[in-house]
């Protein structure tokens, strides 16, 4: 076993340790992103998280992009919000992962975007399109549109722009054939154009075992309902089925116009299973959950579900509506809070927050006034208290002391060869006019010195000698700069270094400069609609070698907001979500960094953000 193998361990190895290693029993964690190394072998498959954090201003929205290393492939990603707030988008941008979050509170929060990276190239299903939309507007699943005694309940479920939207409170996009869903990408949108919209959190972004095939996972997405029942009185002929005869508030608040588009992440994997952990989240409190995979399987995806207990009861159980308080998970992350970027993923982490208030009645409990089975007359109320001393209680559902948070992890093995980081390129040597280039050590010269040319073959370089060595230069002497035997001048007796265009002096190397950068779209003075996806395009080329820069790791878009720079996206071009900034004119900055030289160039234009999110 050579010393090059031992070097992978990065620590001292005793004779006893070496004996154990020779038996193939020693496994040591390698450098970040390189997977796990075993003596006598190459890299092993491993999943690591790459993350980046940004502040989210009070009342604003922010995005962050996390990218994998060049030898890795992004399997998906996640997000975490420290403080108040929730994700509004979580999706691929190229081979990186973008998360955007909205902060409804009056104090700043922090958003962390995670990319789940594996040192392999598994097969993804190409061409998956954004399909189903999940709408915040929801109505009771057991709603009766016909009123007691005849007639129809006319509200937003039977008339108006939200009629169709009320049917799509959840979505389950699927993967075809033998592809497995690792999770779901989602991005924010609106149900009806031209109307105000405000974000609401997800209460389910999860993966479950398929009913038809337990070995496969199925994604499931659901929005926290944004619907409000009407507090108005309407006459009824009988109290029978009154809980099924509801009215929806009109006009609806801006939350009811919120929707997300979804797309499954489909990968060909082997031996897939879904692991689950359940924890109770006290009313008004929060809790953390972590779910690990069985030994021998990798964590390749995951999610959460925050079901409401009152929705799983009998047919008369009231639906959890917007006014009841939000139950949501501000974190859907593959790593524990505060864990540095690059760590190996051993569990899928979720933090749930329950904004209910224990002991209170649900906002939309149902009451009936002046009605009994004898008179069969009265009025229906949807409120938390009686309106008069003889009101009859029909259905009161108190907020429970706690609700359950369900965390899931997709576990699998990956049938692909592990990859390893490319060796760092040797830094280029900058030639000085007054000095020749150093001679390269040749084979057969352990001390690194070039051997002298053989006297029997004066016209050809001897084995181990530098190609620039020639008979005209005495052994042990240095060729003069610019002379016939200087570096860059071809010799006649054998292969030499490439000649330079001019032989009047030694070759010079142009110093690197900051990249040349320009913004093509949007145009200067153009408009961007907040809360919508807009097209962005720019050019960035290195200097002096004029190579294009498009890698999202080295390019970024930012808007200079009132509370500091706001990240819009990464990559030379793409469709990015415009942050929720007030109407006004802002500086849009595109920045590109040359990874070889470490120099950064940027371009900026003025744009106007318009539209109303509320």
């Amino acid at each position: 076993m050579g010393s090059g193998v031992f070097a992978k361990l990065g620590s001292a190895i005793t004779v006893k340790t070496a004996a154990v290693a020779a038996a193939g029993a020693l496994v040591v964690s390698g450098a970040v992103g390189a997977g796990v190394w075993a003596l006598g072998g190459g890299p092993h498959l491993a999943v690591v998280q790459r993350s980046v954090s940004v502040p989210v201003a009070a009342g604003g929205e922010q995005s962050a992009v996390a990218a994998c290393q060049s030898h890795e492939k992004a399997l998906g990603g996640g997000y975490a919000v420290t403080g108040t707030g929730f994700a509004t988008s979580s999706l691929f941008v190229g081979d990186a992962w973008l998360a955007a979050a909205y902060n409804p509170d009056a104090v700043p929060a922090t958003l962390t975007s995670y990319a789940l990276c594996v040192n392999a190239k598994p097969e993804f299903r190409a061409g998956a399109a954004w399909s189903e939309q999940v709408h915040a507007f929801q109505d009771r699943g057991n709603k009766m549109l016909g009123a007691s005694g005849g007639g129809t309940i006319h509200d937003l479920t039977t008339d108006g722009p939200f009629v169709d939207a009320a049917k799509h409170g959840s979505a389950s996009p699927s993967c075809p054939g033998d592809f497995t869903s690792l999770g779901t990408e989602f991005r924010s949108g609106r149900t009806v154009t031209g109307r105000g919209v405000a974000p609401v959190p997800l209460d389910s972004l999860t993966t479950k075992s398929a009913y038809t095939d337990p070995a496969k996972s199925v994604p499931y997405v659901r929005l926290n309902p944004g619907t409000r029942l009407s507090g108005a009185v309407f006459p009824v002929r009988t109290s029978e089925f009154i809980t099924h005869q509801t009215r929806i508030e009109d006009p609806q608040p801006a939350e009811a116009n919120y929707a997300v588009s979804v797309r499954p992440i489909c990968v060909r994997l082997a031996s897939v299973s879904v692991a689950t952990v359940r924890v109770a989240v006290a009313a008004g409190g929060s809790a953390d959950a972590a779910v690990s995979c069985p030994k021998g399987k990798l964590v390749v995806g995951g999610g959460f579900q925050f079901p409401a207990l009152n929705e799983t009861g009998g047919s008369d159980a009231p639906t959890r509506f917007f006014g009841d308080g939000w139950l949501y998970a501000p974190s859907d992350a593959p790593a524990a809070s505060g864990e540095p970027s690059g760590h190996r993923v051993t569990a899928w982490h979720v933090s749930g927050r329950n904004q209910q208030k224990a002991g209170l009645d649900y906002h939309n409990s149902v009451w009936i006034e002046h009605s009994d089975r004898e008179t069969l007359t009265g009025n229906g109320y949807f409120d938390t208290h009686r309106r008069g001393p003889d009101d009859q209680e029909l259905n009161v559902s108190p907020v429970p002391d706690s609700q359950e948070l369900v965390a899931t992890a997709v576990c699998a093995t990956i049938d692909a060869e592990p990859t390893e980081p490319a060796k760092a390129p040797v830094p280029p040597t900058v030639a000085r006019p007054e000095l020749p280039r150093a001679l390269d050590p040749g084979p057969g010269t352990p001390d690194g010195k070039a051997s002298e040319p053989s006297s029997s073959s004066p016209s050809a370089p001897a084995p181990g000698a530098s190609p620039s060595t020639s008979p005209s230069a005495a052994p042990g002497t240095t060729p003069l700069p610019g002379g016939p035997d200087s570096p860059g001048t071809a010799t006649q007796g054998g292969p030499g270094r490439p000649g330079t265009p001019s032989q009047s002096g030694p070759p010079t190397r142009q110093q690197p400069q900051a990249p040349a950068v320009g913004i093509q779209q949007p145009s200067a003075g153009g408009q961007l609609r907040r809360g919508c996806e807009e097209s962005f395009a720019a050019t960035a080329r290195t200097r002096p070698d004029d190579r294009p820069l498009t890698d999202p790791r080295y390019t970024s878009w930012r808007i200079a907001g009132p509370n500091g720079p706001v990240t819009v996206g990464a990559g030379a071009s793409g469709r990015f979500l415009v942050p929720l900034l007030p109407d006004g004119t802002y500086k849009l900055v595109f920045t590109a960094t040359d990874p070889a030289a470490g120099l950064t160039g940027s371009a900026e234009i003025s744009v106007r953000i318009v539209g109303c999110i509320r």
Side-chain angles (χ1 to χ4, degrees):
M1 186 174 293
S3 60
V5 177
F6 290 135
K8 298 295 184 186
L9 297 174
S11 61
I13 297 181
T14 64
V15 175
K16 181 178 180 180
T17 304
V20 176
L26 181 62
V27 178
V28 181
S29 294
V32 169
V36 176
W37 290 80
L39 286 179
H44 287 188
L45 285 175
V47 176
V48 300
Q49 58 89 4
R50 307 288 178 190
S51 59
V52 62
S53 299
V54 295
V56 186
E61 188 173 25
Q62 178 62 285
S63 61
V65 177
C68 297
Q69 294 188 353
S70 59
H71 72 291
E72 297 170 336
K73 181 70 175 178
L75 293 170
Y79 55 85
V81 180
T82 303
T84 57
F86 46 86
T88 56
S89 292
S90 187
L91 50 93
F92 279 110
V93 283
D95 202 31
W97 192 262
L98 177 145
Y102 172 65
N103 178 11
D105 209 350
V107 296
T110 300
L111 165 68
T112 301
S113 175
Y114 293 90
L116 208 61
C117 307
V118 63
N119 59 330
K121 306 295 181 184
E123 181 183 356
F124 279 69
R125 176 184 175 243
W130 294 97
S131 55
E132 302 177 66
Q133 266 201 332
V134 186
H135 303 281
F137 178 87
Q138 293 179 35
D139 196 7
R140 295 179 184 275
N142 56 7
K143 173 86 175 264
M144 293 175 59
L145 298 181
S148 299
T152 302
I153 298 176
H154 289 279
D155 61 16
L156 295 183
T157 51
T158 57
D159 303 296
F162 294 102
V163 174
D164 293 329
K167 304 173 184 176
H168 303 286
S170 62
S172 296
S174 60
C175 295
D178 57 352
F179 284 89
T180 295
S181 172
L182 306 189
T184 307
E185 300 176 77
F186 71 93
R187 61 184 182 186
S188 57
R190 64 181 69 206
T191 303
V192 180
T193 58
R195 295 178 64 112
V197 62
V200 299
L202 294 169
D203 64 13
S204 289
L205 177 64
T206 190
T207 52
K208 300 184 277 189
S209 294
Y211 294 111
T212 56
D213 184 359
K216 295 195 67 174
S217 59
V218 176
Y220 177 76
V221 184
R222 175 182 163 125
L223 276 173
N224 187 293
T227 304
R228 291 176 180 170
L229 290 180
S230 174
V233 177
F234 66 95
V236 294
R237 297 286 303 276
T238 175
S239 59
E240 189 176 11
F241 301 120
I242 184 62
T243 57
H244 300 269
Q245 301 171 41
T246 59
R247 282 188 171 178
I248 306 300
E249 193 174 76
D250 189 12
Q252 276 284 292
E255 290 85 357
N257 196 34
Y258 188 72
V260 300
S261 298
V262 295
R263 179 169 61 183
I265 304 171
C266 302
V267 182
R268 195 188 300 274
L269 297 173
S271 186
V272 180
S273 62
V274 178
T276 302
V277 167
R278 301 173 182 268
V279 298
V281 187
S286 61
D288 298 327
V291 53
S292 301
C293 288
K295 185 178 181 180
K297 290 188 177 182
L298 301 172
V299 178
V300 294
F304 68 90
Q305 187 176 16
F306 219 153
L309 297 181
N310 61 307
E311 292 177 354
T312 59
S315 59
D316 289 343
T319 301
R320 172 166 51 94
F321 287 97
F322 173 79
D324 298 331
W326 288 341
L327 292 84
Y328 65 91
S331 174
D332 178 30
S337 176
E339 191 170 86
S341 177
H343 275 214
R344 185 173 178 176
V345 178
T346 57
W348 189 274
H349 294 258
V350 174
S351 297
R353 180 174 293 127
N354 185 346
Q355 293 190 191
Q356 299 279 24
K357 294 183 179 180
L360 295 182
D361 292 338
Y362 277 96
H363 177 75
N364 296 307
S365 300
V366 181
W367 299 82
I368 190 76
E369 182 191 25
H370 304 299
S371 178
D372 54 43
R373 291 302 180 92
E374 296 176 358
T375 61
L376 300 180
T377 61
N379 294 297
Y381 288 94
F382 300 91
D383 210 335
T384 58
H385 61 281
R386 289 187 173 121
R387 301 296 183 97
D390 57 349
D391 285 354
Q392 177 187 356
E393 176 181 319
L394 289 182
N395 192 327
V396 175
S397 181
V399 172
D401 293 335
S402 66
Q403 299 268 33
E404 193 175 60
L405 168 67
V406 182
T408 56
V410 181
C411 310
T413 57
I414 297 177
D415 187 15
E417 292 297 322
T419 57
E420 57 182 301
K423 294 182 179 180
V426 178
T429 302
V430 180
R432 299 181 182 180
E434 71 278 11
L435 296 174
R437 285 184 187 171
L439 299 179
D440 298 325
T445 55
D447 58 357
K449 296 180 181 179
S451 59
E452 295 183 6
S454 170
S455 58
S456 62
S457 180
S459 62
S466 167
S468 60
T469 304
S470 72
S472 61
T477 62
T478 301
L480 295 176
D485 301 316
S486 65
T489 304
T491 60
Q492 297 180 359
R497 297 180 185 270
T500 57
S502 173
Q503 300 297 334
S504 59
T508 59
R509 183 183 183 88
Q510 284 187 278
Q511 295 294 327
Q513 303 176 49
V517 179
I519 296 177
Q520 298 172 315
Q521 191 177 2
S523 58
Q527 292 185 346
L528 298 175
R529 300 166 298 166
R530 64 169 168 268
C532 294
E533 281 193 340
E534 301 279 19
S535 295
F536 293 78
T539 58
R541 305 190 73 87
T542 60
R543 295 188 293 179
D545 48 357
D546 197 36
R547 290 181 293 103
L549 289 172
T550 58
D551 194 323
R553 293 176 298 173
Y554 307 114
T555 51
S556 66
W557 296 84
R558 288 183 172 84
I559 290 180
N563 297 313
V566 180
T567 301
V568 177
S573 63
R575 291 184 61 82
F576 307 131
L577 190 71
V578 178
L580 307 182
L581 294 171
D583 286 359
T585 300
Y586 300 88
K587 291 289 186 183
L588 174 65
V589 182
F590 175 72
T591 303
T593 300
D594 184 346
L599 300 177
T600 298
S602 62
E604 68 175 42
I605 60 172
S606 293
V607 294
R608 181 164 182 80
I609 292 183
V610 298
C612 184
I613 198 66
R614 296 185 181 277

